[in-house]
Amino acid sequence: MTERIEITETSVPALPRGVKLRFDKQRDQWVLLAPERLFVLDSIALEIVKRCKGEANIDEIADDLATSFSAPKDVVMKDVIALLQDLTDKRILTA
């Protein structure tokens, strides 16, 4: 078993090879497609995942989201880390 990757403010998240962000016309929803798995994204998760391009770290992503949605950065940071940790634990995201 591999060691758990811990998501922190300095982590730079990205979708790994084989995982795609797509709009599913049949479901009329955004989804993450992974080998033999599908994850339906709500509007908040979509905004977070769209920023996971392997370019910005978690702190920068949280700052961008806090500015875009006029929300407190500390609350946004908590939500971003929780979602991305869950996706990383499921091997849907790399950091």
Side-chain angles (χ1 to χ4, degrees), residues 3-65:
E3 194 171 318
R4 182 178 192 232
I5 297 170
E6 190 72 31
I7 298 295
T8 67
E9 293 179 11
T10 59
S11 300
V12 180
L15 297 177
R17 188 172 163 195
V19 176
K20 307 286 182 205
L21 176 63
R22 295 280 187 260
F23 185 77
D24 185 323
K25 292 177 187 174
Q26 291 177 329
R27 289 180 176 81
D28 195 34
Q29 293 180 315
W30 283 92
V31 297
L32 279 175
L33 296 173
E36 300 182 24
R37 296 183 286 174
L38 179 133
F39 296 86
V40 176
L41 301 176
D42 64 19
S43 60
I44 295 169
L46 175 62
E47 289 300 323
I48 295 169
V49 171
K50 285 190 331 189
R51 290 164 170 80
C52 296
K53 299 178 182 175
E55 299 167 357
N57 66 32
I58 302 289
D59 186 60
E60 294 165 331
I61 290 170
D63 191 45
D64 182 40
L65 288 165

Side-chain angles (χ1 to χ4, degrees), residues 46-93:
L46 175 62
E47 289 300 323
I48 295 169
V49 171
K50 285 190 331 189
R51 290 164 170 80
C52 296
K53 299 178 182 175
E55 299 167 357
N57 66 32
I58 302 289
D59 186 60
E60 294 165 331
I61 290 170
D63 191 45
D64 182 40
L65 288 165
T67 300
S68 296
F69 295 99
S70 300
K73 185 176 176 182
D74 60 326
V75 173
V76 172
M77 178 69 74
K78 209 164 105 177
D79 291 343
V80 168
I81 288 176
L83 174 71
L84 298 183
Q85 185 66 64
D86 184 49
L87 292 175
T88 301
D89 290 347
K90 293 175 181 170
R91 306 241 185 267
I92 302 301
L93 195 79

